[in-house]
Amino acid sequence: MDKFVIAISGKRKSGKDYCTNNSIKAFEKIQLSVSAVGISHSLKEEYAKIHNLNFAELLTDGPYKEQFRKDMIRWGEDVRNKIPSVFCRAALLSVDDSDIVIVSDCRRITDLEFFVRTIKLSQFVLRLSKSTDSNGDFDS
């Protein structure tokens, strides 16, 4: 079976992780192998290596990540300006032999373009948006 890629797109705090986690549960329930990868994970991993930082802490929402957020964003944009697909490629290279790959954080148009135009796999793009009156509760 060819890999099926689901690219989830949305702004920060729009529910991408919630959607990813529930999708994983649903696919596993019907016995499909599924992996979730994050473009930001590959960016954070490389940033941590270069700056000798704690990669695991950069994956959290805690204060450790916040102290590096602005510089990490600037650095990531500089890298993307040179090679737009670098973090997308790194994310896919981290995938095992799962039937389904969920890319949980396609925030930029260049990320989506990479999956739509460059990768010749089956794919589905899901764009999430959060209304301004939402309280951030995605359980309903």
Side-chain angles (χ1 to χ4, degrees):
M1 178 178 180
D2 289 333
K3 286 194 187 333
F4 185 81
V5 176
I6 300 173
I8 300 180
S9 175
K11 292 184 179 184
R12 188 171 180 235
K13 305 288 185 184
S14 63
K16 296 181 301 295
D17 289 335
Y18 176 83
C19 186
T20 297
N21 293 335
N22 281 304
S23 297
I24 290 169
K25 290 175 190 172
F27 289 126
E28 288 175 343
K29 197 173 198 177
I30 57 173
Q31 299 179 351
L32 290 172
S33 61
V34 59
S35 293
V37 297
I39 295 168
S40 65
H41 291 182
S42 56
L43 181 152
K44 291 171 185 172
E45 184 174 24
E46 188 62 26
Y47 184 84
K49 285 178 190 174
I50 291 170
H51 295 90
N52 196 29
L53 299 173
N54 184 328
F55 170 58
E57 283 294 317
L58 290 179
L59 294 176
T60 70
D61 286 332
Y64 184 83
K65 179 178 80 174
E66 290 305 316
Q67 65 182 315
F68 301 106
R69 177 184 290 282
K70 286 182 182 178
D71 187 60
M72 193 166 31
I73 290 169
R74 182 203 49 77
W75 175 82
E77 291 303 321
D78 289 347
V79 173
R80 281 187 174 100
N81 286 335
K82 295 173 189 161
I83 310 168
S85 63
V86 66
F87 300 118
C88 295
R89 287 186 192 283
L92 281 184
L93 288 174
S94 71
V95 175
D96 58 8
D97 59 351
S98 298
D99 299 323
I100 300 168
V101 178
I102 301 175
V103 182
S104 63
D105 59 352
C106 291
R107 292 189 188 159
R108 291 163 184 77
I109 192 70
T110 55
D111 297 341
L112 292 172
E113 287 171 349
F114 171 79
F115 293 106
V116 171
R117 295 186 182 145
T118 306
I119 302 298
K120 303 299 180 203
L121 302 169
S122 300
Q123 56 195 295
F124 177 77
V125 175
L126 176 63
R127 174 72 181 173
L128 302 177
S129 62
K130 181 176 150 181
S131 67
T132 55
D133 61 351
S134 174
N135 66 1
D137 182 11
F138 296 102
D139 291 330
S140 52

